Amino acid sequence: MRRASEAGTETARASTPAMLDAIERIGNSVPHPVLIFLILIAIAVIASHLLYLLDASISYQIINPATHGTETVTARANSLLTTEGIRHIYTRLVPNFMGFSAVGLLIVAMIGVGVAEESGLVNACIRKLVAASPRWTLSYILALVGILSSVASDAGYLVLIPLAGTALMSVGRHPLAGLALGFAGVASAFSVNMLIKPLDAVLTELTNDAIHIVNPSLSIEVTANLWFSIVSVVVLTIVIALITERIMEPRLGAYREDQASATLPPHEGGQLSARETRGLRYAVAGLLAVTLVFCLLTLPPWAPLRDPATGALVGNSPFMNGLIGLVMILFLVTGIAYGIGAGTITHTTDVIDAMTKAVSGMGGTILLFLVISQFVDYFTYSNIPTLLAVKMADTLKDASIGPLWLLLGLIAVVAILDLVFTPAIATWAIFAPVFVPLFVQLAVDPAAVLAAYRVGDGPMNSITPLNPYFALVVGFAQKYDRKAGVGTVIALMLPYVLCMSALWTLLFVAWYLLGLPWGV
């Protein structure tokens, strides 16, 4: 019996890589991502017109973030083939691209990151981290930092994901496993953190506005999910690291640099040289200088980067709204300082060349962003995502099931919808006035409802092509494997999504059944 059991286990282990390889082959056999989104645009145009002819519409309540009041809104399918629709397509081409925030964030961040990388700072920091940390902790450290990076909004996508690939490659491990690890931490666990971040404030406001529909005297604090979030971070860090080491790396095998699309920079092993050590000292001095300047710009009550009306530093403040600028300056200053100390930067043209190289390498990604921005706008204009979200919410609300099953249904609905409708705030603005009052009347803690939303909204972010940064990760993967495509990234991320969804949901159920406090 024992031998039969062991044989069954080995068969199951062998079938998992085979299934992922099949997913990768199928995914990579589809057209180039640019063509995929052009096809999706055509589908959205046709679907919008069909729904328009059927006069598809739905009325629902939504919370207005500006007035904090509820409004009844009627959403109708808008056709992209009517006079107004054609006019919209024609006039929105440039505004859609210019308003696609991922483009600006990417270019600005890569200016600083490019200098840090070309000067050798990134490589030296990774080698220092590897030398100072036990080998087995590297996956856990990168996963934790990836999850915590959400406090800096989208900066983790631009910095942590490529850094994780480089870090694993520097110790002889497969860089694609590092990219997958970083993407899972940054995207799939984006909704939780050990710190309070701007997203928490907005979600809490929307939740309180929904509570006040039925109970004006009840409110939750911005820390209402803090304990659940902290434990979630710990659990997800372990899950991400274990999946990387037990599933991803065995499947990928040993990495061969001849798979790369271009010559990769060398990754020296061993101790840092005297010049590299001096460069790191200069970089630390640059870091302290930047920190001092931004402390003066943020900490005093009169600081210019505080909210001019409320004096707040976190939330809708100049500091948080321009945080990507801090990321650029941080990498730029420390990269230049390291280069001067290590002797890799000897002239101002070296800095300009590094910036130019970083930006010029993003040509394909920027083209893809141009097409994605059009699809997102047309899809939103058609009102198909809103019709789908409200219909799913109403169906779940009308289901005659107990509170726990209803919470699990909310998690499932949010997860499914996340594949086609990714904005966390916009989705909760629709769902909160539907579900929060319902659960309040069922004597369920509103904090539990918000926690359920976080669980549903997280994992799918790393496999939906509608994530603005999905295309960026495909580009990162092609750096290490010229044959990589959409299928490669989906096959890499699917084990993370499935395991994180299952275990995170089990954590939520256990928390609910034990009656543990969700936060402060």
Side-chain angles (χ1 to χ4, degrees), residues 316-397:
N316 188 26
S317 67
F319 174 70
M320 296 305 298
N321 292 337
L323 200 57
I324 198 67
L326 171 59
V327 172
M328 182 199 72
I329 293 171
L330 197 62
F331 277 95
L332 187 61
V333 172
T334 55
I336 293 173
Y338 175 87
I340 293 173
T344 55
I345 291 179
T346 58
H347 197 275
T348 53
T349 55
D350 295 333
V351 179
I352 303 300
D353 289 343
M355 294 179 179
T356 303
K357 181 179 178 181
V359 175
S360 63
M362 297 183 296
T365 303
I366 292 174
L367 171 63
L368 184 55
F369 279 178
L370 170 63
V371 181
I372 293 176
S373 66
Q374 308 309 315
F375 171 73
V376 171
D377 176 75
Y378 301 161
F379 199 46
T380 303
Y381 175 85
S382 71
N383 269 339
I384 294 175
T386 303
L387 295 172
L388 180 62
V390 176
K391 186 64 178 177
M392 293 174 70
D394 288 344
T395 301
L396 181 60
K397 179 183 176 182

Side-chain angles (χ1 to χ4, degrees), residues 71-402:
E71 301 175 357
T72 299
V73 179
T74 299
R76 298 184 180 278
N78 293 323
S79 173
L80 288 159
L81 292 178
T82 60
T83 301
E84 282 296 320
I86 294 172
R87 186 179 295 126
H88 180 88
I89 292 174
Y90 180 76
T91 60
R92 293 295 301 175
L93 178 63
V94 174
N96 288 342
F97 182 58
M98 298 301 293
F100 199 56
S101 61
V103 178
L105 292 172
L106 175 64
I107 293 175
V108 171
M110 289 306 295
I111 287 174
V113 174
V115 173
E117 187 171 3
E118 284 296 307
S119 69
L121 173 61
V122 173
N123 184 278
C125 286
I126 290 172
R127 289 164 58 206
K128 187 71 174 177
L129 172 65
V130 171
S133 306
R135 181 182 174 88
W136 68 270
T137 63
L138 185 59
S139 297
Y140 296 87
I141 292 172
L142 292 172
L144 177 61
V145 174
I147 296 174
L148 297 182
S149 71
S150 64
V151 75
S153 190
D154 293 344
Y157 286 98
L158 308 173
V159 178
L160 194 281
I161 295 176
L163 186 147
T166 306
L168 261 61
M169 184 177 175
S170 70
V171 294
R173 297 165 64 180
H174 207 296
L176 291 185
L179 294 181
L181 180 154
F183 197 17
V186 173
S188 290
F190 186 82
S191 59
V192 291
N193 205 296
M194 288 185 172
L195 304 171
I196 301 300
K197 55 185 181 178
L199 178 64
D200 296 326
V202 179
L203 295 180
T204 301
E205 275 192 16
L206 293 173
T207 304
N208 282 331
D209 292 338
I211 294 171
H212 297 161
I213 296 174
V214 293
N215 189 347
S217 63
L218 178 64
S219 295
I220 62 172
E221 299 296 330
V222 71
T223 54
N225 283 162
L226 183 60
W227 304 140
F228 179 71
S229 292
I230 290 174
V231 175
S232 294
V233 169
V234 175
V235 170
L236 295 178
T237 296
I238 296 171
V239 171
I240 291 170
L242 289 177
I243 294 173
T244 302
E245 296 176 350
R246 304 292 176 84
I247 298 178
M248 277 301 105
E249 292 189 89
R251 172 181 173 257
L252 292 170
Y255 178 65
R256 302 193 320 272
E257 292 199 14
D258 59 0
Q259 297 175 270
S261 59
T263 303
L264 298 174
H267 295 276
E268 302 87 350
Q271 298 296 319
L272 298 177
S273 67
R275 295 174 66 181
E276 290 171 325
T277 302
R278 183 174 64 250
L280 285 181
R281 287 200 298 268
Y282 278 45
V284 170
L287 173 63
L288 293 175
V290 173
T291 302
L292 177 61
V293 170
F294 273 86
C295 282
L296 293 175
L297 293 174
T298 56
L299 296 184
W302 44 263
L305 296 186
R306 287 182 173 272
D307 188 304
T310 65
L313 184 61
V314 178
N316 188 26
S317 67
F319 174 70
M320 296 305 298
N321 292 337
L323 200 57
I324 198 67
L326 171 59
V327 172
M328 182 199 72
I329 293 171
L330 197 62
F331 277 95
L332 187 61
V333 172
T334 55
I336 293 173
Y338 175 87
I340 293 173
T344 55
I345 291 179
T346 58
H347 197 275
T348 53
T349 55
D350 295 333
V351 179
I352 303 300
D353 289 343
M355 294 179 179
T356 303
K357 181 179 178 181
V359 175
S360 63
M362 297 183 296
T365 303
I366 292 174
L367 171 63
L368 184 55
F369 279 178
L370 170 63
V371 181
I372 293 176
S373 66
Q374 308 309 315
F375 171 73
V376 171
D377 176 75
Y378 301 161
F379 199 46
T380 303
Y381 175 85
S382 71
N383 269 339
I384 294 175
T386 303
L387 295 172
L388 180 62
V390 176
K391 186 64 178 177
M392 293 174 70
D394 288 344
T395 301
L396 181 60
K397 179 183 176 182
D398 295 337
S400 300
I401 53 179

